[in-house]
Amino acid sequence: MTPARLYPLIACASIVFSVVAILVGHFGPDPYLDPMNVTISEYAVTDRGGVTEVAMAVLGIGSLALLAALRRMGAPIRGLPEKLLIVWSAALVVAAVIPTVPLGLDLDLAAQVHRYVSIAAFVSLPAAGALLVPRLTADVHWKPVARAVEWVALAGGFGLLAITYVALPGERVMIGLVERLLLGAEVSLLGLLAAWALWLTWAPPRAPKHPVDANFPTYHRFIASRS
């Protein structure tokens, strides 16, 4: 099996494993922790089995596999979208290796590193999705998922605004819920790209007899603008 056919499989398997592992990790820590008001990183630091950290690292590695798949397939990711995907992947791995401190303690140097790489991860993926939308729209092979990518990228953008408000003037009210919704949008973006890459690699669709215009109207001018 060639790497070009293997990378999409690795990406899809990594995403599925990570989602399941993060869900499992919620059953291990202190049962008094409220997932609505505690971040995933704070859950992870109390997870004695390390399931959540493993999930984050696997998701980062799987994202790199997805990037490799997209590059080998000639997907329109060159330039800034590619760099942002690398930032997302590397930040996840670093955040998994360098944990934060338990809830209620002052941040040490390692926890500050964890915080900033987490911010980099959360920001980079919706930005990459936003930049990809017009490129996918113009590509005959990728235009079927362009609209869905636009919506999850838009959801990620709103999620960033929400978590910024909650983390600063909102005094962390429901920060756990907001973070999980944001992460759900970002993982959905990865899942869309990985699943379509897998489909194109293993079961390429036939070209339609009457191609549909790839330049369909988009609902968000910023996302639809060309990078």
Side-chain angles (χ1 to χ4, degrees):
M1 186 182 298
T2 62
R5 296 175 68 84
L6 187 60
Y7 285 139
L9 283 174
I10 295 174
C12 289
S14 299
I15 293 169
V16 172
F17 172 86
S18 300
V19 171
V20 173
I22 288 175
L23 292 175
V24 170
H26 279 63
F27 295 98
D30 191 329
Y32 295 102
L33 291 177
D34 181 6
M36 297 296 101
N37 292 293
V38 177
T39 67
I40 293 175
S41 295
E42 291 163 348
Y43 251 78
V45 78
T46 60
D47 182 5
R48 297 177 179 84
V51 176
T52 305
E53 288 95 335
V54 171
M56 293 168 62
V58 170
L59 185 59
I61 295 170
S63 299
L64 289 175
L66 173 60
L67 179 59
L70 296 176
R71 292 181 64 177
R72 284 181 172 269
M73 297 171 66
I77 62 165
R78 298 289 182 178
L80 189 54
E82 181 180 30
K83 292 180 175 64
L84 289 170
L85 284 171
I86 293 173
V87 170
W88 155 266
S89 304
L92 278 183
V93 175
V94 173
V97 174
I98 304 177
T100 188
V101 295
L103 187 64
L105 298 182
D106 293 333
L107 297 181
D108 56 16
L109 178 60
Q112 291 179 8
V113 171
H114 179 94
R115 167 180 286 184
Y116 289 117
V117 296
S118 297
I119 292 173
F122 280 134
V123 172
S124 59
L125 194 57
L131 294 172
L132 279 174
V133 170
R135 299 182 181 202
L136 300 182
T137 302
D139 190 298
V140 67
H141 299 295
W142 287 88
K143 71 181 180 64
V145 294
R147 180 66 60 81
V149 169
E150 179 184 20
W151 281 111
V152 293
L154 183 59
F158 281 123
L160 284 174
L161 294 176
I163 201 168
T164 300
Y165 173 80
V166 168
L168 297 175
E171 299 182 348
R172 291 178 54 94
V173 175
M174 303 295 283
I175 191 171
L177 175 61
V178 174
E179 184 193 55
R180 284 160 177 79
L181 291 175
L182 171 58
L183 184 61
E186 298 190 332
V187 172
S188 297
L189 175 57
L190 291 175
L192 277 170
L193 295 175
W196 193 249
L198 185 66
W199 172 256
L200 290 178
T201 301
W202 289 88
R206 295 179 180 177
K209 293 181 180 179
H210 303 285
V212 179
D213 182 10
N215 297 316
F216 54 75
T218 51
Y219 294 113
H220 195 267
R221 292 184 181 275
F222 171 75
I223 290 180
S225 62
R226 292 191 178 275
S227 57

